[in-house]
Amino acid sequence: MRLCAVSLVVVAAACGAAATGSPPGAAPAPDRAALTAALAAQLARAARDWNRGDLDAFVSDYARDTATTFVDHGHARHGFDYIRARYAPRFAPGAPRDSLRFEEIEARPLGPDHALVTARFILYREGRTTASGPFTLVLEHRREGWKILHDHSSGDSE
């Protein structure tokens, strides 16, 4: 009978963890509204970095490792160095670079240290949109802040 009572407690704890999305004793996931506000502010800062031509500041939100993924023209590319090299030509002296802003930002906690963000990027010049599209980010909260582990961006014309 004692084994049944222990089993019942274990099953109840597991069901409770499944209902909350966190294992027993784990830190709770961040509040969705607060997370969205924090990550929207981070994206707004990234847009300012882009608009003033600061490549290193712009890419500083990506995790600096070889596992960081960027989906580019339908293919997953890996590594911080690839991502930086992909953006670098747009930041070269004299290179055309339209202004950037982000819209429709929504964040969803995937646990205490991970988040999913969906939003739209808008590139614009002289009051007209030159490129736009949806994107999805997977981020991890690290000592230095939220870092992008995966970026899948698509243009509206793709």
Side-chain angles (χ1 to χ4, degrees):
M1 189 61 126
R2 184 175 188 110
L3 181 59
C4 288
V6 169
S7 297
L8 184 57
V9 169
V10 169
V11 169
C15 289
T20 64
S22 300
D31 172 73
R32 189 172 187 159
L35 181 64
T36 296
L39 293 176
Q42 182 170 330
L43 287 170
R45 192 249 330 124
R48 289 190 303 273
D49 295 339
W50 172 283
N51 293 337
R52 76 170 186 277
D54 189 339
L55 172 62
D56 289 327
F58 178 74
V59 297
S60 71
D61 289 326
Y62 289 91
R64 281 186 169 267
D65 59 51
T66 58
T68 303
T69 347
F70 186 89
V71 177
D72 187 22
H73 296 98
H75 299 279
R77 310 295 185 184
H78 299 281
F80 176 84
D81 292 338
Y82 172 84
I83 295 165
R84 189 182 187 291
R86 183 194 181 280
Y87 282 116
R90 293 184 178 206
F91 289 82
R97 187 183 61 258
D98 296 341
S99 295
L100 173 66
R101 73 175 181 270
F102 298 109
E103 298 179 349
E104 301 175 21
I105 301 164
E106 293 183 27
R108 175 182 170 194
L110 299 176
D113 297 320
H114 292 87
L116 174 71
V117 173
T118 57
R120 293 185 60 73
F121 73 88
I122 310 290
L123 289 171
Y124 60 97
R125 182 181 334 132
E126 298 173 1
R128 71 176 180 80
T129 299
T130 57
S132 63
F135 64 90
T136 303
L137 304 174
V138 176
L139 296 100
E140 178 178 54
H141 193 261
R142 297 179 173 186
R143 277 176 294 163
E144 64 273 17
W146 286 99
K147 297 297 176 184
I148 300 167
L149 302 178
H150 178 81
D151 178 344
H152 185 169
S153 300
S154 300
D156 285 331
S157 61
E158 292 180 21

